[in-house]
Amino acid sequence: MSTRFIARLTALTLLATCSPIALADDGKKDAKLNDSVMQRLQGRWEVVGGANQGRELSEAELKGTYNTVATNTITTYDRNEHQRFRAVFSIDSAEDPIQINMTSVPQKSTVAKRDLKVPTEDIVAAGILKFQGDDKWSLCYALPGNDRPTKFESPEGSKVMLFHLVRRQGDPVPDGRSASKTK
């Protein structure tokens, strides 16, 4: 055997034995990143700006609207503290921007996603999110059945929602019950 062949075989052997370790380390790193992002999202967030399919939200629409994030559930409440939207979500912080998939859950349901009788892709909103410091973030997502947005914008005629959120005092309410507002 030539020295060249042995060197190649040695290099391939090293790559084959090291790659799974490197991939496992990357998986652990990604899981830690996801955990870190999930921790940052926890809490109560006032919606301070945004657009609904290309139309800027008015001050009247925004006033009193807030989201709570508890564990892997995001819930939106209106100014009268009525629940308007609830979804379970997962994130992929290895992507830039961070990707989020939200699966809509009926208001009073505790049903698992696998038990829903509609196709999953029809109820999953694919989106992106980014933080601005410790107390602000933006969420941009496409309505179910549409492609994930790539930019933080909601063009006119699109099926894209964009929200800007600021942290507020108050605990998230994970079961969908109304929470008292703190001003």
Side-chain angles (χ1 to χ4, degrees):
M1 285 189 203
S2 74
T3 307
R4 195 174 186 171
F5 175 78
I6 292 172
R8 284 186 183 164
L9 183 60
T10 303
L12 287 172
T13 303
L14 283 172
L15 282 173
T17 58
C18 291
S19 292
I21 294 169
L23 288 174
D25 287 345
D26 284 347
K28 288 179 187 175
K29 191 183 302 181
D30 289 347
K32 285 182 182 179
L33 276 172
N34 282 348
D35 288 347
S36 173
V37 170
M38 291 292 274
Q39 276 299 97
R40 289 178 75 183
L41 288 171
Q42 302 302 299
R44 184 179 176 121
W45 301 89
E46 180 181 357
V47 180
V48 295
N52 178 347
Q53 303 176 63
R55 183 187 58 77
E56 288 295 316
L57 298 173
S58 70
E59 192 172 314
E61 290 173 298
L62 294 170
K63 185 177 182 178
T65 301
Y66 67 96
N67 287 343
T68 60
V69 179
T71 313
N72 69 330
T73 302
I74 185 168
T75 308
T76 302
Y77 296 91
D78 65 16
R79 78 176 113 242
N80 298 317
E81 298 202 11
H82 293 118
Q83 179 182 309
R84 293 297 174 197
F85 174 77
R86 186 172 79 166
V88 293
F89 68 93
S90 62
I91 57 170
D92 183 353
S93 57
E95 296 295 325
D96 186 21
I98 299 166
Q99 292 186 353
I100 183 168
N101 292 321
M102 298 180 292
T103 304
S104 182
V105 177
Q107 190 170 13
K108 302 207 184 245
S109 174
T110 57
V111 68
K113 182 168 75 170
R114 62 182 156 66
D115 294 335
L116 295 173
K117 298 203 184 319
V118 292
T120 303
E121 60 273 4
D122 290 343
I123 59 170
V124 174
I128 53 177
L129 67 93
K130 68 178 176 181
F131 292 99
Q132 296 94 30
D134 291 333
D135 62 349
K136 295 179 185 177
W137 64 292
S138 293
L139 171 65
C140 186
Y141 65 91
L143 295 176
N146 293 281
D147 293 336
R148 181 185 314 276
T150 57
K151 297 177 182 175
F152 290 89
E153 57 186 36
S154 176
E156 189 174 330
S158 71
K159 298 292 184 190
V160 176
M161 307 292 286
L162 173 64
F163 298 101
H164 304 291
L165 303 105
V166 175
R167 185 178 297 282
R168 291 292 180 240
Q169 295 301 312
D171 292 328
V173 181
D175 64 1
R177 287 177 292 144
S178 188
S180 63
K181 284 187 178 180
T182 305
K183 290 192 178 189

